[in-house]
């Protein structure tokens, strides 16, 4: 098995950034989901609430610098060291560093809403049992190309007379960090520990999927019920629709596209109620 795709998401729910290599830190890939947009009450805003976030490009042109682009509007800012702002993610409250009024004004110009950009400057800002960034639940997500092929076969089979509803779903809908080729379809659900290149990971649980998977990542438009309908019919665990696996780093190191992926331990699936989404 080989690692064939690597992506980071500098701002939670913004467009992905493909990379050829990335350093893995205890709280996930360097630069991945260390920034987030919140509303006036400090509540996380994702593509679930505003699909337009996925059309904003966030890049890291140099250490300590974030650049945002949307419709010709560009904002370049350094990591802030200002006041802490109370925020919440899925009801859990904590504090992050406010990126300031200039960033808020840029978001208002682009999205027409009163929003703030906040930064997680260190992992302990978010008080979870698992050390992580601002990803929904765990530091990384891995998906399998063979599993996507199998899912798309199920989608096509469920819509034999409708080429639109039965169209294949691209991997970008699932917002993974790592894509693996060479495994059998759904084999990843039995992995419990893997090594990718020089880094080992605990495979924590399956990833529960949400309405974000029905959004076209290029336009933000909803494309109908798939893949949620197919997952509900064929890949439902308890009340959760699952695709991909959450990872937690066991150590640190550098991942590179082309790295070998080795399964070190296998085991039964986690309990369905533990499944978490990803954004």
């Amino acid at each position: 098995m080989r690692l064939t795709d690597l992506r980071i998401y500098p701002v939670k729910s913004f467009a992905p950034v493909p990379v050829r290599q990335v350093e893995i830190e205890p709280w996930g890939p360097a630069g991945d989901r260390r920034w987030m947009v919140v509303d006036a009450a400090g509540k996380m805003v994702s593509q679930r609430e505003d699909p337009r976030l996925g059309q904003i490009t966030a890049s890291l042109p140099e250490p300590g610098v974030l650049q945002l682009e949307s419709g010709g509007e560009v904002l370049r800012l350094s990591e802030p060291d200002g006041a802490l702002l109370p925020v919440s993610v899925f009801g859990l409250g904590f504090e992050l560093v406010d990126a300031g009024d200039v960033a808020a004004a840029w978001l208002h110009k682009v999205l027409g809403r009163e929003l703030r950009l906040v930064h997680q400057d260190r992992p302990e800002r978010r008080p979870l049992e698992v050390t992580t960034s601002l990803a929904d639940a765990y530091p990384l997500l891995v998906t399998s190309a063979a599993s996507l092929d199998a899912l798309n076969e199920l989608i096509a089979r469920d819509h034999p007379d409708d080429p639109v509803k039965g169209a294949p779903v691209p991997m970008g809908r699932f917002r993974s960090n790592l894509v693996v080729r060479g495994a059998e379809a759904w084999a990843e659900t039995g992995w419990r520990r893997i090594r990718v290149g020089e880094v080992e990971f605990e495979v924590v649980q399956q990833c529960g999927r949400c309405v974000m998977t029905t959004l076209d990542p290029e336009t933000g438009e909803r494309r109908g019920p798939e893949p949620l309908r197919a997952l509900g019919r064929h890949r439902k665990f308890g009340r959760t629709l699952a695709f991909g696996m959450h990872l937690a780093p066991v150590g640190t190191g550098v991942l590179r596209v082309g790295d070998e992926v080795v399964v070190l331990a296998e085991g039964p699936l986690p309990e369905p109620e533990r499944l978490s989404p990803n954004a």
Side-chain angles (χ1 to χ4, degrees), residues 167-190:
V169 173
M171 189 66 85
R173 297 267 194 103
F174 299 99
R175 297 180 67 80
S176 54
N177 297 106
L178 286 65
V179 178
V180 172
R181 289 188 180 273
E184 294 184 0
W186 315 119
E188 68 275 14
T189 62

Side-chain angles (χ1 to χ4, degrees), residues 23-145:
E23 182 179 353
I24 299 300
E25 301 172 336
W27 48 327
D32 184 63
R33 296 179 174 98
R34 308 295 165 84
W35 302 76
M36 178 175 70
V37 173
V38 298
D39 63 16
K43 183 180 178 181
M44 169 192 72
V45 177
S46 75
Q47 289 185 44
R48 300 178 188 92
E49 298 79 34
D50 195 333
R52 296 176 297 170
L53 295 186
Q55 280 67 67
I56 303 177
T57 300
S59 59
L60 304 169
E62 58 186 88
V65 175
L66 176 72
Q67 181 167 303
L68 306 180
E69 298 183 48
S70 178
E73 299 291 338
V74 179
L75 175 67
R76 189 181 176 99
L77 67 158
S78 300
E79 292 182 359
D81 57 1
L84 294 177
L85 186 71
V87 303
S88 64
V89 175
F90 299 123
L92 176 65
F94 51 102
E95 293 184 326
L96 295 177
V97 183
D98 185 7
D101 293 340
V102 172
W106 189 89
L107 290 172
H108 186 273
K109 185 174 184 179
V110 169
L111 298 171
R113 299 180 57 186
E114 297 297 330
L115 301 167
R116 307 290 294 187
L117 183 67
V118 292
H119 180 241
Q120 183 187 16
D121 57 338
R122 55 180 190 267
E124 56 267 28
R125 294 279 188 205
R126 190 178 182 193
L128 294 177
E129 290 184 9
V130 177
T131 301
T132 189
S133 63
L134 297 172
D136 279 357
Y138 293 95
L140 298 98
L141 179 71
V142 62
T143 54
S144 160

Side-chain angles (χ1 to χ4, degrees), residues 206-240:
Q206 293 194 86
C207 179
R209 310 315 310 205
C210 69
V211 69
M212 282 179 60
T213 59
T214 67
L215 299 176
D216 184 331
E218 300 296 327
T219 66
E221 298 176 350
R222 301 202 186 281
R223 292 299 187 187
E226 300 297 358
L228 292 183
R229 184 178 183 275
L231 291 174
R233 287 168 60 89
H234 306 286
R235 300 296 299 173
K236 189 173 183 179
F237 298 83
R239 298 175 60 187
T240 303

